[in-house]
Amino acid sequence: MGGLKEVLYYMFHPNQLRAIIQWKVWHEPVYQRDPSKEAPTLRSCFEFLNMTSRSFSAVIQELNHDMLVPVALFYLALRGLDTIEDDMTIPVSVKEPMLRDFYKNMKIDGWTFNGNGPDEKDRELLVHFDDVIAEMKKIKPHYYDIIEDITIKMGNGMADYAINAQFLAGVVTIAEYEKYCHYVAGLVGDGLTRLFVAGGHANPALLQRPELTESMGQFLQKVNIIRDVHEDFEDDRRFWPKDIWSKYVDKWEDLFDPKNRTQALHCTSDMVLNALKHADECLLYMAGIKEQSVFNFIAIPQTMAIATLDLVFQNPKIFSSHIKITKGDACQLMTQSTQNLRLVCEVFRKYSRRIAQKNDPRDPHYLEISMALGKIEQFIETLFPSQNVKQVKALHTEKVNDSTSGEFWESLMLVAAVLFFLLLVSALMLGAAWVMGARWDTVLNMGSASSVEEAAKITAKIAHGEL
Amino acid sequence: MVIGGTGFLGHHVVNLILQRYPKSRVSVADRSVDRNRRQPEDGVQYHQIDITQASALSALFGNVRPDVIIHTASPLPQVDVSPTRELYDKVNVHGTRTIIAACRTYDVKALVYCSSASVVCDHTSDVINADESRPRVRGRDQPEYYAESKVCSLPRDAPIMPGAAIDVFDYKQSQAEDLILAANAQHPYLLRTAVIRPSAIIGEGDLMIVPRLIDIYREGKVYFQLGQNKNLFDFTYVQNVAHGHLLAAEALLACSTSGVDNDGKGVDGECFFITNGAPILFWDFARAVWVQAGCAYDIRRVWVLSRFVAMILAFLSEVFFALIGKPATFNRQRVSFSCMTRYYDISKAKARLGYEPLVSLDEGIQRSVKWCLDQEKTKRA
């Protein structure tokens, strides 16, 4: 049944199918890992990577050989922390010190943990964490130091949240919201930027502008938080800051009541506007990446994020179901994100214009959203100007050579030509009808007599004897 | 001294000076001194003068002995009077020349001239994120172009207003710019000069952009959209423009006093685009104004006329009105204007003047609309 549905869907959406085929057939990874040359512990690490992450695993495995293992291990270390933090069967008194000391365990040969609840989905990772630790020992020390530093920071951040009962009731201010995004995404970005710079794959200037890295993480995380609002609501979690939603509804659950649709959409616009402000800094960050496989790795999630932002904007479905961009769109985005910054900018421009088209003047954030989108477009223009001084000069000279007074007569000629063709076509049609024996007399007499009466008169004229 | 200080922009400049430098001595020279006046206790001296009268202007300068001149005077395109080429020539070019001469005679240190961002705009092609290196659309080098350019029916920054000689206006602004810039740092004179080019000014006192949009709302025509609404446009709140002038004046005064020459990073002898730094889709701006004015705008009711179709209709309207001998309110210029991209890169003003908009576009629109609605009320009462 599902298969049939899919076939029907792609029959009516050939572009989607085309994008999928294009990605599957024509995408050639810049680098590919070679499992035959890997140690068993490393192979095991990639199995865990596949197991714990759907979206990141593929892009990580296409990274260049220098970055491949450090980034994968970095991901697994953070995932290990996450697995402890997420598990509600571990009492806080155990959890808090464990999170803070996790980086120490990373240094202990053969350390594993099997205290996770049986339902914890990534339980296996910690049960076999000794494989990750074994591989950590092999990477370059300066890469290890970066991973360790972020693991310490994130462990402490998670521990703070774990003992903070207030946070469990939900985020209140926008500052808290951004702080949360910093811990779950900004820190990851920080670690990645340092790895890329250390490996010579990114411009060291990125380290001088930490706000760019921060925006990368904030943008991704905020978009996810907006999109997952319904899923989180069902799991009894809330990341939308109260300072935003309380402007539109009194109680959090009211946002999901279809009666409050308009209010809920206004609230979403507020959240979207808050996320949009990071977009230009994300583009600037990407301009600092010097290596293709790293560029692909960071650009894909970003274009997915702007497309998701378009998807959730003015979309009431986010409050009743879990929505995602279509597979075809995702494939197209991946194709476009694995080339160059110009194309990624085009994707940003395309989706920001789509957001603009859905912008509703009655929305309280109409103007601000429009301004935020204008800012993105202007920023893209500063990166890739579509007009330059030389072109403009040429344009002016051309204009001068063109006689401007001819404009009026040109337009007149155009209209005359259109009228002439209309008349010509009408004449041809009427002529053809006449040749084929159309009876103008009956058509013209229609007003005075109905065709039935006409027929009666004709039959009346014919003598009965003839029948 | 603010020349044109009772005009739309000029009186905002006066207000900002009084607010920022309460101890300064402010005088205003304008053709008409009855409108937009400050209270007598504010101490502003108002002088009625025609700036094209060299002797009168010189006498005034000798009397007031100003340090700084902010020149905002220019005939504005009016609704039903099309100012002639001669008028622009007289005020923008000849008037500016007179002012420069008077500045030299009386040791004025700083002269800031208000031009227009449309000097780089030929009113048909797009201006995308232009900076000051973009060439102006010049008439002098191409006399044919301007000789044949007809008196079109668009004011300099108002999209929807008939009746003004815009090409000529911008051409004359362009000429005046040359005069101003050439007068910079000409020893032995103390005078330093700069040019501010604002784009589409809105605010209290604006008679062209926001009031015209509100008229459209009153006429119930808000659901016609010309073009695809993909064109970004820079609108600027008037106080930000005034701020730009004052920043330039301060910088000029400093370099005139210190005698330092422009090393390529300075302010004197330079042009600056001034906008709100917030380009916005043309029709989004219009809709924001309408909503602010109380319109319950329903986006689903919008009729989109593509630029092509709109141009044909506008042409037919021009033909029709030409036949009955009236100016067409709906014309091709208007269509072209509302479909045109026109925004600027203001990083030069940010870097060299330290300019940042004081008032956001959001707030600017609110204030402009409120002012217009108040005007309507007083008119009715």
Side-chain angles (χ1 to χ4, degrees), chain A residues 370 378 381 387 399 411, chain B residues 126 128-129 134 284 332 344:
Chain A
S370 188
Q378 183 169 32
E381 275 297 326
Q387 288 183 331
K399 277 253 165 61
S411 305
Chain B
D126 290 337
I128 303 171
N129 206 28
R134 191 179 167 110
D284 281 16
R332 285 172 302 161
Y344 301 90

Side-chain angles (χ1 to χ4, degrees), chain A residues 23-278:
Chain A
W23 174 253
K24 300 259 150 130
V25 176
W26 297 110
H27 171 64
E28 265 190 48
V30 197
Y31 295 94
Q32 254 172 323
R33 55 177 272 258
D34 183 359
S36 62
K37 288 184 191 154
E38 290 169 355
T41 44
L42 186 58
R43 247 177 284 156
S44 153
C45 285
F46 280 111
E47 271 163 42
F48 289 125
L49 187 67
N50 283 329
M51 193 183 84
T52 54
S53 155
R54 287 139 296 272
S55 44
F56 278 108
S57 147
V59 274
I60 290 178
Q61 293 186 46
E62 290 184 10
L63 274 170
N64 64 53
H65 301 316
D66 178 39
M67 285 288 111
L68 173 69
V69 178
V71 171
L73 295 178
F74 181 39
Y75 182 86
L76 289 175
L78 300 184
R79 177 55 77 175
L81 273 176
D82 204 39
T83 309
I84 297 168
E85 190 221 14
D86 262 4
D87 193 338
M88 290 303 157
T89 65
I90 305 175
V92 174
S93 57
V94 178
K95 193 187 272 186
E96 192 215 335
M98 243 194 109
L99 289 169
R100 293 197 201 278
D101 294 341
F102 191 79
Y103 75 99
K104 292 181 188 159
N105 298 335
M106 263 178 12
K107 287 182 187 158
I108 305 172
D109 284 320
W111 181 85
T112 57
F113 179 69
N114 50 17
N116 273 115
D119 294 335
E120 178 55 49
K121 58 180 176 14
D122 297 333
R123 176 175 209 286
E124 285 300 301
L125 171 65
L126 288 178
V127 172
H128 299 287
F129 206 70
D130 49 340
D131 291 344
V132 180
I133 294 170
E135 286 302 319
M136 286 266 197
K137 305 252 164 179
K138 296 182 199 165
I139 61 173
K140 290 178 190 162
H142 61 293
Y143 292 164
Y144 182 86
D145 293 343
I146 295 168
I147 296 175
E148 184 186 38
D149 181 46
I150 302 295
T151 309
I152 295 170
K153 285 180 181 156
M154 188 169 293
N156 283 329
M158 285 177 168
D160 291 345
Y161 282 116
I163 54 172
N164 183 348
Q166 210 181 0
F167 172 76
L168 295 175
V171 182
V172 179
T173 63
I174 294 173
E176 278 173 28
Y177 171 58
E178 295 190 337
K179 194 175 167 200
Y180 173 76
C181 292
H182 169 72
Y183 274 112
V184 295
L187 275 179
V188 185
D190 182 20
L192 287 173
T193 304
R194 282 157 63 184
L195 285 173
F196 299 152
V197 172
H201 310 298
N203 189 333
L206 288 179
L207 296 180
Q208 261 68 64
R209 307 252 335 239
E211 72 279 9
L212 300 183
T213 303
E214 185 65 30
S215 273
M216 292 287 279
Q218 294 274 337
F219 189 58
L220 297 185
Q221 194 60 30
K222 285 177 174 179
V223 171
N224 284 343
I225 286 175
I226 300 171
R227 185 197 56 193
D228 295 340
V229 67
H230 183 252
E231 206 183 10
D232 287 335
F233 177 62
E234 290 195 318
D235 294 346
D236 239 353
R237 282 179 306 197
R238 174 175 68 71
F239 299 107
W240 289 29
K242 190 178 181 188
D243 283 359
I244 289 186
W245 62 260
S246 62
K247 285 191 268 178
Y248 308 96
V249 285
D250 295 330
K251 290 198 297 285
W252 174 239
E253 51 272 27
D254 290 350
L255 212 55
F256 300 86
D257 189 337
K259 274 189 304 202
N260 302 322
R261 262 305 98 95
T262 315
Q263 291 303 308
L265 286 180
H266 289 173
C267 184
T268 314
S269 305
D270 209 336
M271 293 291 289
V272 168
L273 174 64
N274 177 284
L276 271 178
K277 69 177 182 196
H278 301 292

Side-chain angles (χ1 to χ4, degrees), chain A residues 353-392:
Chain A
R353 284 185 176 176
R354 278 167 66 154
I355 294 171
Q357 289 214 312
K358 287 194 281 179
N359 201 5
D360 187 337
R362 285 174 297 187
D363 193 297
H365 299 284
Y366 176 71
L367 187 63
E368 283 172 281
I369 289 175
S370 188
M371 281 157 64
L373 297 170
K375 193 175 154 207
I376 296 173
E377 196 158 336
Q378 183 169 32
F379 185 75
I380 294 174
E381 275 297 326
T382 58
L383 289 181
F384 300 107
S386 56
Q387 288 183 331
N388 61 44
V389 173
K390 261 188 200 158
Q391 275 174 348
V392 172

Side-chain angles (χ1 to χ4, degrees), chain A residues 335-353:
Chain A
T335 309
Q336 289 170 321
S337 316
T338 45
Q339 323 277 327
N340 54 46
L341 184 61
R342 182 184 277 267
L343 213 50
V344 166
C345 282
E346 278 316 308
V347 172
F348 268 68
R349 196 198 313 249
K350 172 182 152 192
Y351 282 100
S352 85
R353 284 185 176 176

